Amino acid sequence: MAERSGPSVYSIAAHRGFADALVAGLLPRYWEDDVGLARLTLLLPSQRAARTVSEAFIRLAGEVGQAGLLMPRMAVVGDLDLDETLGPLLDPLGAGEAIPPAADPTARWLRVAQLIVEDAGDAAPRGAALLRQAEQVCRTMDRLLVEDVGPEQLLQEPVIGIVGDLAAHWADSTRLFLKVQHRWLAELEERGELDAAARRNRLFDYAAARWAEKPPGTPIVAAGVTSAAPALARLLRVVAQTPRGAVILPDFDLSLDEAVWEELGCAGAPQEPGGPPFGAADAATHPQYHLKLLLNRMGIARSEVRPWHRAGMTAAPPARSHALSSLFLPPRASAGWAALPPESRQLAGVRLMETANPEEEAQAIALLIREAIETPERRVALVTPDRGLAGRVAAHLRRWNIEADDTAGRALSQTPAGRVILLLAEVMAERAAPVPLCALLGHPLVAAGEGRAQWLDYARALELRLRGPRPAPGLAPLQHHIAHLARHDAAITQWWGKVEAALAPLMIAQGAEPAPLAEQIDLLAAAGEALCGIGLWSREDGRALSALIEDLRSHAARIGTVLEPLAVPALLRDMMDKVAVRPPYGGHPRVAIYGLLESRMSRADLVICGGLNEGSWPQPPGPDPLLPPAILRALGVPGADFRIGLAAHDLAGALGAPEVVLSRAQRDGQGPAIPSRFLLRVRALLGEDLLHAHQETHAVELARMLDAAEPAPAYQRPEPCPSAEQRDVPLAVTALDRLRGDPYQFYASAILRLRSLDPLDAEPSPAWQGTVAHWILQIWHQEGGELRPIAERVLDEENAHPLMRGLWRPRLLAALDWIEAEIARLPDRTIVAVEQDGEMIVDGVRIHGRADRIDRFANGELAIVDYKTGGPPSAAMVEKGFALQLGLIGLMAQAGGIAGASGEPTHFEYWSFGKDRKSETGFGYRIERVAEGRKKGLKREEYLAESSHFLREAIQRWIKGGEPFTARLNPDFPGYADYDQLMRLDEWQARADETGDTVA
């Protein structure tokens, strides 16, 4: 290629394939005998770009038959990796001594949090919210530093005037930022340090000055750098002017009309002296806007940019770049689409795929990938910012044993090692609450290896015991659960001893009291190693976790950070979410999954752009949380819409592949999804006449067929009909109501013997409250004394959680006070039975139950009493035979089936713990559901006879008879929902309601 004077700035068109085209041109241009490309220095935007270029060199060497290749030196200069390799590159020039060291980002973050508290006082947020605000302050400082905005500019007249006109919350946040930044910079100056972003700017300026004064003797090429940071732009200008140096821009559109170029707006170059660097009409969302900004800051005219002289091995047709130029035209210029002929609007090799939902989209994308790799050496890439979609596609590919190389990796918080520390933090914060404790004990890394099966058996046994309301905080309240389990297996006490030894140190700190963060981190690491051994740190996620833990611990100790244990889980989760863990070895060599950042400069024969919906691609631009847009504009900082332009540029680069599929789902997890504005542009450019030819329907149809099945027949109302032997079961007095109202529930509980499990950390259920109340009253009746001390003792024994006690205890004690007073007001009664078991035989069936209380009147008659922590059943339910417990207890007493309580029952009373305005305590009342005199309902004298009739009828129909146990036989029966899923209620109830049938 002929050399010419002036800066050497090149562009590689989107259709050429940036990395492959780059190395195809670098090899003949900079190759030297004996040393190959070793004298060349490449400035690249990210570590991922360096890897992509290295792979392109390897492919090119194989293509040209080169046996070996000395690679160029690669330095990372982009925003993603501040000063990782540029510093060592400049050290021989003395930069290490001339430029102060960088402050550690973690130390800065923790110190800024302290500064916020010192400045805002009681108004400052607490816990994790404080650290998030500190992170926002650090991010804003970096954003200003990248744009070369010094702190003095924030105190100049334009900014001060704007602050006075702002809304109160913006003014407060701006003042807070200014104060914190001023104090932080003063501390940096005192220590002789710089922020990492400021040091990077110094390195760039130092290199630019030295290379301008004395050009390096070896060539330097900046490739793929699109950041428009002013300091970097100045360095790129110098690189472009060095001998044999060059700046190579990705996907810069040289075919754009000059009028369209001007329509993009100021882009950092004011139209008049003193004017704003960014105009209100700037097309910041255009994919070429940030490149125009970069050229303006470099001082390079668009006419000075030349096309790169080589194409890559995976180049697309040149017509693709012309179509892309038309696709992203600004509003006024896009009006010319209507006049374009079909051949200028078509996108050969580009297909549009639309699916019904994200799962179907993932299935279709996986099928496209599977089909593509059938062709030898064909490379496929999925590019998507939607991590959920990426995960689903990777899971579908495992159907065919294809492990995709997901370059974005997994967040550390989602890895096994990260989850261990997060669960330990939750155990510490919530003081051994059941949910995190059981999740921790069952974690795959805990007790891995020999003996794990026994460990899991004990962990599951403890989990079953902990189901229900949350116990009191700490490990000590769990001892009585272990003691109960030890009755069946004494070895569980040794197991619990190991668990307790590992977790006890975490129980020292109170959740709401601040404690040194470094000490808490040490405790978590020690507990994790005690439970998992060195296996916690041995894999890639463990090594990443170790680095994060050590970094946070050391700086928190030096800074003196204190934090409430309750806030530690959120803090660690926020930090882990930012750490990507990648497997040590890549997946399939020809299948890659990229995020938008990782996709830059990458290349494949087939590129699938997934998740093209608004909110995903592009993501909504969020304003700076501290500085309002007006101040940022006055400072010359690009607005939030600038990120949309970068997303558009990423899509334009992906569209340069030989084959492209643009995919979206019509719905997402929240509801109907809006197509991406970029996808709508593609559709508009194609027009109705070309749109159909670009649709990808085959993969969608196949995706639907893969998991399609014949429609399942309509599920009928269950009517199980067990054998006579299976039916012949005892009948509890509390089960007759269920048998008559919903026979299927009786079948599931009494014949199948299925019981619902309470969830962990459940709200106190009525059944649990009833059990506790009955136990309190039983002890009181047996031991005498006052009720309140007994109630407190039982609640202590039950390890009731303080919150639950605070909510339920006042109501319980008020009702107990009423019961104590009400019994004293009934001197004509004598309590003859409390929580007394009884039984009788009726038609060959054993009827059994427990009487809460039975009183005997002076005339020998009996009163059957049932305590209710909730409301008693209605008179109508008693009359219909759906509330017969008192009647059956009465029959049992009448037959002499209850020891010490034989006689003729005449009163059937419910003593409720519910609200009652007439009660002096506000809670507690007694009521009978029998009709007196002319009132409608079940008469007192008929109560036992009707109960006996309903009992015998049920026995003859279901226990001794052959009638099926029909689900929801009587819709009026207010049964529990424990077995609704088992009977698949939602699948047939609507049909039954429509027909009005009570029996299917």
Side-chain angles (χ1 to χ4, degrees), residues 355-568:
T355 55
N357 51 63
E359 179 59 31
E360 188 175 277
E361 181 182 15
Q363 180 84 283
I365 290 174
L367 287 167
L368 289 172
I369 295 174
R370 180 67 183 87
E371 179 186 40
I373 62 174
E374 281 296 297
T375 303
E377 299 185 8
R378 186 172 171 82
R379 291 180 292 147
V380 189
L382 167 62
V383 179
T384 178
D386 185 344
R387 295 305 306 158
L389 176 62
R392 284 190 289 270
V393 171
H396 281 298
L397 288 173
R398 294 189 188 104
R399 280 183 169 185
W400 305 289
N401 294 323
I402 298 173
E403 195 66 40
D405 183 8
D406 189 350
T407 59
R410 276 195 303 170
L412 179 58
S413 59
Q414 298 175 7
T415 63
R419 285 297 302 156
V420 167
I421 295 299
L422 287 178
L423 287 170
L424 283 167
E426 291 175 17
V427 168
M428 179 178 69
E430 301 182 41
R431 299 185 58 74
V435 172
L437 176 63
C438 291
L440 173 67
L441 296 180
H443 190 281
L445 290 182
V446 173
E450 186 178 356
R452 176 161 173 81
Q454 185 64 64
W455 177 284
L456 290 178
D457 286 343
Y458 290 146
R460 289 163 185 157
L462 178 61
E463 178 188 334
L464 288 174
R465 284 288 304 172
L466 292 179
R467 287 183 175 270
R470 178 187 291 198
L475 297 174
L478 305 181
Q479 287 289 355
H480 83 280
H481 293 291
I482 299 299
H484 182 275
L485 294 170
R487 298 173 192 170
H488 306 284
D489 187 350
I492 197 171
T493 57
Q494 298 178 0
W495 170 81
W496 178 247
K498 297 177 183 177
V499 174
E500 194 172 26
L503 300 183
L506 303 182
M507 301 295 110
I508 297 175
Q510 295 294 326
E513 295 297 325
L517 178 59
E519 294 181 8
Q520 297 182 65
I521 297 299
D522 280 337
L523 290 174
L524 294 175
E529 192 161 334
L531 290 173
C532 307
I534 61 173
L536 179 62
W537 321 108
S538 61
R539 296 180 60 84
E540 62 273 7
D541 56 339
R543 291 189 286 272
L545 176 65
S546 174
L548 182 145
I549 290 290
E550 179 58 27
D551 180 59
L552 179 60
R553 185 202 61 77
S554 61
H555 291 299
R558 183 168 65 84
I559 299 297
T561 303
V562 295
L563 195 66
E564 302 86 349
L566 282 171
V568 172

